[in-house]
Amino acid sequence: MSNLQRQDIIDQFCILYEKTSHPSYRGFKPSMQQRLKRQMEKLVQLHPEWHSDDYVDYFCSIINQESQPESEQQFAHLHLVAYLDASRCHFIRQFARKFPFPLATCLHLFDLTTDVLYNRDHFKKIIHGHNANTSNAANLKTYVEGALKNIIINQINWESDWHLLCNVDLTSRRKFNNAVQKLREALFRQGITEPLVSQYCFAWQCFVPIYKNNRLYNPSQRKSRTWVQPEQTDFEEAARNYNLNRFLADAPLQVSSGSNVTAETIQQWMNTCVQALRNSKKRVELSRDADSYEKHYDQSVNPWETLESDQDSAEFINQITPSLQAQIQRVEQNFDKIRSKIPRQFRPAVMPLCYPHELSLLVQEQFAKKVGVNQGTVARYIANTYKSPLLTQMDSLIRTQLDNDLQVWSQNYVKEFLSKRFTNPHQNQEIDRALTVAIESLEPHLQLLLKLRYGQNYSIDTIVKCLDNESSDTIEKKLNLVQHDLELAAIETINKLKISYIEQFIKNHYKQVISDQLVMAFSEIKSRKIIQMRYAQRMPEEKIARLLPKENVSQAINQAKQQLQKALLQWTYGTYGISLEPEKDQVSQAVETWLNQLYCLDLNELHSGESYNV
């Protein structure tokens, strides 16, 4: 046997081709892969005359013998999984092309077949069905492929619309909450808004246990593995549960303030939920690489939207950033007057180098050690010198916007919330969400009063008739106390928003300082086109190499990263007199993070009129 043939056999039984294709794909650990390789090398030395079929027979015999040691069975199992993996990957790719969304289907089938192959009991059942006496080992791949195909088809039959809607573990609060959140997100993406979303989800919670008890767990009904269509009686029972439970303490406000529903309404709502989940599942087809980048850069709603009036909202927003930037400039112009143990020459470096953001080059402890102080000194310097003046400035802007009376504003806001948005709060406004949470934390009796007064729009007299043991004075006092508590919750939320906004502003400000240095360094890189193709356009290196066959793509990318790293090291030393040579790895990580965000940076103005030299 030649060395090439020997290496080919070793690779067949210890390489997992798709081990890094998906985060949930349980590939071999590197240490295990090396142990498999060493074992195969020993076997090949002991049996140089063997071919692939002989090794398959050998491993099959081990895995089928209970008398073999556990470690030997484990190794035999993993060797066979590696042997089958290449054909399994090819089969799944081909099979997934038959479906409308092949990438999403392919990932799903990889997970499904991985669960089968890595479960030794399941794997042994498949191997046991392969009669080695009448079929040679070369047919094992074909046999396993057929077995996996049957498993996939069974799963597809199993995953009906009602499986998609009702396959949730009712015994696990965490899993159930995750399923509710998944359904809510799918409905919102479908274009459905409150109060319908909460009503749909509440109806779903009533329907799922009824469907599972009547159609899935009922021995007389469960004739196959397929999740059968529900019957009219299921929807009727779910409607009764919905109407009986909608006034319970844990029922959403949108549900308790609505009306009774019929079985036809429940059926229509469940069909809508199924369609929303189906459409949501299709979105998996989007690039996982793109999603990993973009999830950090979703455009968030304006947190101060609830403070703005129609005539001066733009003015308020336009005042925030320039005013805070001016405050930072005043601080940086008076470093010598600041009282701190941090040496004066190092004070300008504190915020650019160690304030925590995605591109920060040091942590506070590292910076403190470099300049000869303790970490607490650095933390106090940041809090007293920057955060405190900025919070004071922000507080002044807010009070100006609210006519200097936060208490009156909170009273008006809560009154408007209760009268207009009690059953349909603005989900993208922090204060509305805070008020909803505060209401949900009230005692059930107080929640009921709010639901009757502002959900059903009952008068005080009508509420008195509904609650025999309550007088009108008592009800009014309780409602006033609740309103006062909600006003305090609104004020507390404003204060939290103020702190959160300041922290985010500082992060963005000093992140931009690092980013500006990298942008300038980027303009000096010769291989900018390759970097933009790789990170701005997100092309894999293999594709770039095909488009630019004369270029060494990997080498160009590595050299560009080294240039950017060197630029940051020179900047920190030249500007602040601080060497980051010992923290090269952290600087390198900051460069990698910046490159991964390159797609959202506008580099056109910087390079306008230039021709790229590749």
Side-chain angles (χ1 to χ4, degrees), residues 223-245:
K223 299 177 181 178
S224 67
R225 296 189 66 206
T226 305
W227 290 59
V228 298
Q229 289 281 337
E231 298 182 4
Q232 181 66 18
T233 54
D234 300 329
F235 297 118
E236 292 173 354
E237 191 174 346
R240 286 196 297 271
N241 280 0
Y242 183 100
N243 296 330
L244 288 173
N245 296 324

mmCIF file of all heavy atoms in Angstrom, residues 223-245:
data_model
loop_
_atom_site.group_PDB
_atom_site.id
_atom_site.type_symbol
_atom_site.label_atom_id
_atom_site.label_comp_id
_atom_site.label_asym_id
_atom_site.label_seq_id
_atom_site.Cartn_x
_atom_site.Cartn_y
_atom_site.Cartn_z
ATOM 1 N N LYS A 223 -53.689 6.953 15.914
ATOM 2 C CA LYS A 223 -53.591 5.799 15.036
ATOM 3 C C LYS A 223 -52.271 5.791 14.255
ATOM 4 O O LYS A 223 -51.915 4.789 13.655
ATOM 5 C CB LYS A 223 -54.761 5.796 14.054
ATOM 6 C CG LYS A 223 -56.123 5.712 14.754
ATOM 7 C CD LYS A 223 -57.250 5.776 13.760
ATOM 8 C CE LYS A 223 -58.598 5.723 14.479
ATOM 9 N NZ LYS A 223 -59.729 5.820 13.530
ATOM 10 N N SER A 224 -51.591 6.899 14.232
ATOM 11 C CA SER A 224 -50.310 6.977 13.513
ATOM 12 C C SER A 224 -49.457 8.039 14.175
ATOM 13 O O SER A 224 -49.891 8.726 15.101
ATOM 14 C CB SER A 224 -50.534 7.325 12.039
ATOM 15 O OG SER A 224 -51.030 8.647 11.931
ATOM 16 N N ARG A 225 -48.255 8.215 13.670
ATOM 17 C CA ARG A 225 -47.357 9.220 14.235
ATOM 18 C C ARG A 225 -47.693 10.621 13.754
ATOM 19 O O ARG A 225 -47.184 11.598 14.247
ATOM 20 C CB ARG A 225 -45.905 8.893 13.879
ATOM 21 C CG ARG A 225 -45.392 7.600 14.456
ATOM 22 C CD ARG A 225 -43.904 7.492 14.234
ATOM 23 N NE ARG A 225 -43.199 8.516 14.979
ATOM 24 C CZ ARG A 225 -42.013 8.998 14.626
ATOM 25 N NH1 ARG A 225 -41.431 8.580 13.536
ATOM 26 N NH2 ARG A 225 -41.419 9.909 15.354
ATOM 27 N N THR A 226 -48.525 10.743 12.727
ATOM 28 C CA THR A 226 -48.846 12.051 12.177
ATOM 29 C C THR A 226 -49.713 12.845 13.140
ATOM 30 O O THR A 226 -50.624 12.305 13.745
ATOM 31 C CB THR A 226 -49.584 11.892 10.836
ATOM 32 O OG1 THR A 226 -48.787 11.100 9.965
ATOM 33 C CG2 THR A 226 -49.850 13.234 10.209
ATOM 34 N N TRP A 227 -49.447 14.132 13.247
ATOM 35 C CA TRP A 227 -50.261 15.011 14.073
ATOM 36 C C TRP A 227 -51.538 15.314 13.291
ATOM 37 O O TRP A 227 -51.526 16.037 12.308
ATOM 38 C CB TRP A 227 -49.504 16.305 14.387
ATOM 39 C CG TRP A 227 -48.359 16.110 15.330
ATOM 40 C CD1 TRP A 227 -47.282 15.300 15.148
ATOM 41 C CD2 TRP A 227 -48.184 16.736 16.593
ATOM 42 N NE1 TRP A 227 -46.435 15.376 16.216
ATOM 43 C CE2 TRP A 227 -46.964 16.258 17.124
ATOM 44 C CE3 TRP A 227 -48.927 17.641 17.333
ATOM 45 C CZ2 TRP A 227 -46.483 16.666 18.356
ATOM 46 C CZ3 TRP A 227 -48.438 18.063 18.553
ATOM 47 C CH2 TRP A 227 -47.231 17.569 19.063
ATOM 48 N N VAL A 228 -52.647 14.788 13.757
ATOM 49 C CA VAL A 228 -53.891 14.833 13.001
ATOM 50 C C VAL A 228 -54.530 16.219 13.085
ATOM 51 O O VAL A 228 -54.197 17.035 13.943
ATOM 52 C CB VAL A 228 -54.894 13.777 13.524
ATOM 53 C CG1 VAL A 228 -54.321 12.394 13.354
ATOM 54 C CG2 VAL A 228 -55.228 14.049 14.997
ATOM 55 N N GLN A 229 -55.474 16.469 12.178
ATOM 56 C CA GLN A 229 -56.235 17.709 12.203
ATOM 57 C C GLN A 229 -57.106 17.753 13.456
ATOM 58 O O GLN A 229 -57.682 16.748 13.862
ATOM 59 C CB GLN A 229 -57.125 17.793 10.962
ATOM 60 C CG GLN A 229 -56.381 18.021 9.662
ATOM 61 C CD GLN A 229 -55.982 19.476 9.491
ATOM 62 O OE1 GLN A 229 -56.592 20.365 10.076
ATOM 63 N NE2 GLN A 229 -54.952 19.713 8.698
ATOM 64 N N PRO A 230 -57.205 18.925 14.089
ATOM 65 C CA PRO A 230 -58.114 19.034 15.239
ATOM 66 C C PRO A 230 -59.565 18.956 14.780
ATOM 67 O O PRO A 230 -59.878 19.188 13.607
ATOM 68 C CB PRO A 230 -57.788 20.413 15.821
ATOM 69 C CG PRO A 230 -57.221 21.176 14.677
ATOM 70 C CD PRO A 230 -56.501 20.181 13.816
ATOM 71 N N GLU A 231 -60.441 18.655 15.697
ATOM 72 C CA GLU A 231 -61.865 18.585 15.398
ATOM 73 C C GLU A 231 -62.589 19.789 15.986
ATOM 74 O O GLU A 231 -62.031 20.540 16.791
ATOM 75 C CB GLU A 231 -62.442 17.274 15.937
ATOM 76 C CG GLU A 231 -61.826 16.034 15.290
ATOM 77 C CD GLU A 231 -62.427 14.733 15.800
ATOM 78 O OE1 GLU A 231 -63.383 14.811 16.618
ATOM 79 O OE2 GLU A 231 -61.951 13.665 15.397
ATOM 80 N N GLN A 232 -63.824 19.968 15.576
ATOM 81 C CA GLN A 232 -64.604 21.122 16.014
ATOM 82 C C GLN A 232 -64.723 21.169 17.542
ATOM 83 O O GLN A 232 -64.693 22.248 18.149
ATOM 84 C CB GLN A 232 -66.005 21.078 15.383
ATOM 85 C CG GLN A 232 -66.901 22.251 15.741
ATOM 86 C CD GLN A 232 -66.394 23.565 15.175
ATOM 87 O OE1 GLN A 232 -65.580 23.573 14.253
ATOM 88 N NE2 GLN A 232 -66.853 24.671 15.746
ATOM 89 N N THR A 233 -64.808 20.012 18.153
ATOM 90 C CA THR A 233 -64.935 19.981 19.616
ATOM 91 C C THR A 233 -63.705 20.552 20.314
ATOM 92 O O THR A 233 -63.808 21.111 21.412
ATOM 93 C CB THR A 233 -65.175 18.541 20.100
ATOM 94 O OG1 THR A 233 -64.118 17.694 19.585
ATOM 95 C CG2 THR A 233 -66.524 18.025 19.613
ATOM 96 N N ASP A 234 -62.529 20.414 19.678
ATOM 97 C CA ASP A 234 -61.307 20.980 20.262
ATOM 98 C C ASP A 234 -61.396 22.505 20.316
ATOM 99 O O ASP A 234 -61.035 23.136 21.321
ATOM 100 C CB ASP A 234 -60.089 20.561 19.446
ATOM 101 C CG ASP A 234 -59.921 19.055 19.394
ATOM 102 O OD1 ASP A 234 -60.312 18.390 20.368
ATOM 103 O OD2 ASP A 234 -59.424 18.548 18.372
ATOM 104 N N PHE A 235 -61.859 23.110 19.229
ATOM 105 C CA PHE A 235 -61.980 24.564 19.190
ATOM 106 C C PHE A 235 -63.078 25.049 20.141
ATOM 107 O O PHE A 235 -62.933 26.107 20.767
ATOM 108 C CB PHE A 235 -62.280 25.027 17.761
ATOM 109 C CG PHE A 235 -61.188 24.713 16.784
ATOM 110 C CD1 PHE A 235 -61.428 23.874 15.706
ATOM 111 C CD2 PHE A 235 -59.912 25.234 16.935
ATOM 112 C CE1 PHE A 235 -60.430 23.577 14.799
ATOM 113 C CE2 PHE A 235 -58.897 24.944 16.027
ATOM 114 C CZ PHE A 235 -59.151 24.102 14.960
ATOM 115 N N GLU A 236 -64.147 24.282 20.257
ATOM 116 C CA GLU A 236 -65.213 24.669 21.174
ATOM 117 C C GLU A 236 -64.731 24.642 22.616
ATOM 118 O O GLU A 236 -65.028 25.542 23.409
ATOM 119 C CB GLU A 236 -66.413 23.722 20.994
ATOM 120 C CG GLU A 236 -67.118 23.882 19.652
ATOM 121 C CD GLU A 236 -68.179 22.823 19.428
ATOM 122 O OE1 GLU A 236 -68.275 21.895 20.279
ATOM 123 O OE2 GLU A 236 -68.903 22.907 18.408
ATOM 124 N N GLU A 237 -63.970 23.615 22.970
ATOM 125 C CA GLU A 237 -63.438 23.520 24.332
ATOM 126 C C GLU A 237 -62.432 24.629 24.604
ATOM 127 O O GLU A 237 -62.400 25.206 25.698
ATOM 128 C CB GLU A 237 -62.780 22.147 24.525
ATOM 129 C CG GLU A 237 -62.428 21.831 25.962
ATOM 130 C CD GLU A 237 -61.904 20.417 26.137
ATOM 131 O OE1 GLU A 237 -62.057 19.602 25.191
ATOM 132 O OE2 GLU A 237 -61.339 20.134 27.212
ATOM 133 N N ALA A 238 -61.599 24.936 23.616
ATOM 134 C CA ALA A 238 -60.622 26.021 23.778
ATOM 135 C C ALA A 238 -61.322 27.364 23.946
ATOM 136 O O ALA A 238 -60.886 28.211 24.743
ATOM 137 C CB ALA A 238 -59.686 26.059 22.569
ATOM 138 N N ALA A 239 -62.423 27.591 23.210
ATOM 139 C CA ALA A 239 -63.177 28.845 23.349
ATOM 140 C C ALA A 239 -63.765 28.964 24.752
ATOM 141 O O ALA A 239 -63.750 30.050 25.355
ATOM 142 C CB ALA A 239 -64.271 28.903 22.290
ATOM 143 N N ARG A 240 -64.287 27.867 25.293
ATOM 144 C CA ARG A 240 -64.831 27.903 26.657
ATOM 145 C C ARG A 240 -63.740 28.251 27.668
ATOM 146 O O ARG A 240 -63.948 29.069 28.578
ATOM 147 C CB ARG A 240 -65.472 26.555 27.000
ATOM 148 C CG ARG A 240 -66.812 26.314 26.325
ATOM 149 C CD ARG A 240 -67.565 25.164 26.994
ATOM 150 N NE ARG A 240 -66.841 23.897 26.855
ATOM 151 C CZ ARG A 240 -66.990 23.073 25.827
ATOM 152 N NH1 ARG A 240 -67.828 23.391 24.830
ATOM 153 N NH2 ARG A 240 -66.321 21.942 25.764
ATOM 154 N N ASN A 241 -62.579 27.644 27.513
ATOM 155 C CA ASN A 241 -61.461 27.944 28.416
ATOM 156 C C ASN A 241 -61.028 29.402 28.307
ATOM 157 O O ASN A 241 -60.719 30.060 29.306
ATOM 158 C CB ASN A 241 -60.280 27.023 28.115
ATOM 159 C CG ASN A 241 -60.444 25.653 28.729
ATOM 160 O OD1 ASN A 241 -61.443 25.375 29.379
ATOM 161 N ND2 ASN A 241 -59.474 24.780 28.514
ATOM 162 N N TYR A 242 -60.971 29.898 27.085
ATOM 163 C CA TYR A 242 -60.576 31.298 26.853
ATOM 164 C C TYR A 242 -61.533 32.234 27.582
ATOM 165 O O TYR A 242 -61.105 33.150 28.303
ATOM 166 C CB TYR A 242 -60.591 31.574 25.355
ATOM 167 C CG TYR A 242 -60.143 32.970 24.963
ATOM 168 C CD1 TYR A 242 -58.851 33.203 24.505
ATOM 169 C CD2 TYR A 242 -61.011 34.058 25.030
ATOM 170 C CE1 TYR A 242 -58.438 34.481 24.136
ATOM 171 C CE2 TYR A 242 -60.617 35.329 24.671
ATOM 172 C CZ TYR A 242 -59.332 35.532 24.219
ATOM 173 O OH TYR A 242 -58.928 36.809 23.857
ATOM 174 N N ASN A 243 -62.838 32.016 27.420
ATOM 175 C CA ASN A 243 -63.835 32.905 28.015
ATOM 176 C C ASN A 243 -63.860 32.804 29.535
ATOM 177 O O ASN A 243 -64.103 33.787 30.237
ATOM 178 C CB ASN A 243 -65.223 32.598 27.439
ATOM 179 C CG ASN A 243 -65.291 32.875 25.948
ATOM 180 O OD1 ASN A 243 -64.591 33.745 25.439
ATOM 181 N ND2 ASN A 243 -66.130 32.126 25.234
ATOM 182 N N LEU A 244 -63.606 31.615 30.067
ATOM 183 C CA LEU A 244 -63.604 31.431 31.515
ATOM 184 C C LEU A 244 -62.374 32.026 32.177
ATOM 185 O O LEU A 244 -62.443 32.506 33.321
ATOM 186 C CB LEU A 244 -63.709 29.937 31.853
ATOM 187 C CG LEU A 244 -65.062 29.255 31.619
ATOM 188 C CD1 LEU A 244 -64.941 27.753 31.830
ATOM 189 C CD2 LEU A 244 -66.128 29.838 32.552
ATOM 190 N N ASN A 245 -61.231 31.992 31.487
ATOM 191 C CA ASN A 245 -59.953 32.358 32.105
ATOM 192 C C ASN A 245 -59.486 33.767 31.761
ATOM 193 O O ASN A 245 -58.443 34.197 32.268
ATOM 194 C CB ASN A 245 -58.863 31.365 31.684
ATOM 195 C CG ASN A 245 -59.140 29.968 32.185
ATOM 196 O OD1 ASN A 245 -59.667 29.793 33.285
ATOM 197 N ND2 ASN A 245 -58.793 28.963 31.389
#
